[in-house]
Amino acid sequence: MSYSPLPHLRRALVALLLTALALAAAGCGREGSPPVKGPKSSELPTYPVARNFTLPASPTWERARRRGHLIVGVKEDQPYLGEKDPASGRYTGFDIEIAKMMSAALGFPPATLHFTTISSANRETALQNGQIDYYVGTYTINGKRKKLVGFAGPYYLAGQSLLVRSHEKDIHGPGDLAGKRVSSAAGSTPAQRIQAQYPRTQLVTYDTYSACVDNLLTYQVDAVTTDDAILLGYAAKVPDELKVVGKPFSREPYGIGVPRADNALRLALDDALAADEKNGSWKKAYDVTLGLSGVPAPQPPPIDRYPAS
Ligand code: GLU
């Protein structure tokens, strides 16, 4: 056989073309296209769906049954907690796993869940006007909010902290914030605490924490304050540019928000959380999501089954 360079060249060109097509189909390699966010589906636990489950005392559950699926309010820009991949629309994170566990326990396959992004300031209204069935998104349980909505849980205990640029030398705790520009999300407990307890701070609120972090990176503000769980996720994404400083200075027990009058749903979710903490699902979910920001799985806080009022 005589040697001819042509078939080799043609094969190389075809291979190049195929690679380019595969990359284009996968959405990679295009300038500015972000990497896919969140763990792969194969890395996530699955939750057995309760069979023949009914909850006739819950108007929220009955409405979801007639509709055929649950609608859950979440966050979409909080790494390892609630994050939406812009290309696929898929949501991942610890809060998303909690939402899926609860769906399975209520008899709805998690794959049928409809997620909708609701910001910190709009959670109570979304639950009050029936836009969502329940809410899982770094939602602190407190007395003021309990007048407006119900809470199952808590399923996690966070604490308010501070995120600064990695070269920052002056800010180590909330006592160093006088005269500093500090941002947080509108309607959040950390924003309220800064206003009430550190009035010499120049508080700047945005709708989302990703907007707060963008403004920190571009020197519009000096720090971002919210729960350590949220801030550690942002810091883990760009460790060269951001760091979390000081010790947590509040207790933020995360609950699942439900319509206030729906005690049957609230107590069913408390039961489901207790079961998932016992059977290992809670820890498995934590390890593949929030655990990636560097903190090993803690003991979940005790569930507070408070009486109806
Ligand atoms: N956990 C706090 C809150 O519920 C801060 C996080 C958030 O805004 O979601 O207000």
Side-chain angles (χ1 to χ4, degrees):
M1 231 172 28
S2 66
Y3 175 74
S4 143
L6 211 58
H8 291 85
L9 203 67
R10 200 181 298 136
R11 227 176 293 149
L13 272 173
V14 169
L16 207 70
L17 204 71
L18 283 175
T19 313
L21 278 174
L23 280 175
C28 319
R30 256 181 285 132
E31 209 182 330
S33 65
V36 174
K37 286 183 176 166
K40 292 192 200 82
S41 299
S42 57
E43 290 162 5
L44 295 171
T46 51
Y47 313 109
V49 180
R51 283 166 177 259
N52 305 322
F53 180 90
T54 61
L55 196 60
S58 163
T60 313
W61 187 89
E62 274 297 338
R63 197 179 42 165
R65 184 187 58 80
R66 286 195 298 274
R67 191 198 292 130
H69 62 263
L70 286 159
I71 304 174
V72 180
V74 293
K75 294 287 182 70
E76 67 169 35
D77 65 335
Q78 299 184 177
Y80 309 122
L81 284 158
E83 204 173 15
K84 184 180 179 180
D85 177 52
S88 64
R90 180 171 164 262
Y91 286 84
T92 55
F94 186 54
D95 284 335
I96 305 301
E97 291 307 301
I98 295 286
K100 289 198 230 163
M101 279 177 221
M102 298 302 102
S103 169
L106 295 174
F108 296 89
T112 65
L113 267 182
H114 282 42
F115 290 111
T116 174
T117 302
I118 308 276
S119 66
S120 296
N122 296 329
R123 294 181 282 210
E124 290 81 26
T125 322
L127 285 165
Q128 285 170 326
N129 68 18
Q131 194 188 340
I132 54 175
D133 297 325
Y134 56 91
Y135 186 92
V136 196
T138 61
Y139 197 10
T140 294
I141 304 172
N142 65 26
K144 199 169 150 208
R145 288 176 179 168
K146 268 171 148 179
K147 293 199 172 92
L148 305 170
V149 300
F151 285 104
Y155 61 89
Y156 184 78
L157 181 62
Q160 184 168 356
S161 225
L162 293 166
L163 181 75
V164 294
R165 289 179 295 269
S166 49
H167 300 298
E168 174 64 53
K169 295 212 167 50
D170 299 340
I171 302 173
H172 308 283
D176 303 324
L177 298 179
K180 301 283 186 199
R181 285 172 66 82
V182 178
S183 72
S184 193
S188 70
T189 49
Q192 287 155 13
R193 188 167 295 103
I194 292 294
Q195 238 165 359
Q197 294 177 18
Y198 303 93
R200 290 170 64 207
T201 308
Q202 293 180 43
L203 179 69
V204 187
T205 57
Y206 299 101
D207 283 347
T208 62
Y209 292 110
S210 50
C212 294
V213 173
D214 286 347
N215 281 284
L216 176 64
L217 288 167
T218 54
Y219 290 74
Q220 306 301 305
V221 296
D222 304 305
V224 176
T225 187
T226 187
D227 306 336
D228 49 359
I230 301 173
L231 298 179
L232 286 166
Y234 290 116
K237 296 264 161 143
V238 277
D240 294 343
E241 300 188 48
L242 299 173
K243 62 181 179 187
V244 176
V245 288
K247 288 200 179 71
F249 51 97
S250 76
R251 286 167 73 83
E252 309 289 333
Y254 287 173
I256 302 173
V258 296
R260 189 175 189 277
D262 201 335
N263 291 298
L265 178 64
R266 172 166 64 83
L267 296 172
L269 295 180
D270 280 337
D271 291 344
L273 275 174
D276 284 317
E277 288 172 8
K278 207 164 158 211
N279 68 25
S281 290
W282 185 96
K283 181 168 186 305
K284 269 191 218 152
Y286 180 93
D287 287 344
V288 295
T289 55
L290 198 47
L292 301 178
S293 66
V295 182
Q299 265 310 107
I303 291 166
D304 177 19
R305 292 173 64 94
Y306 60 89
S309 64

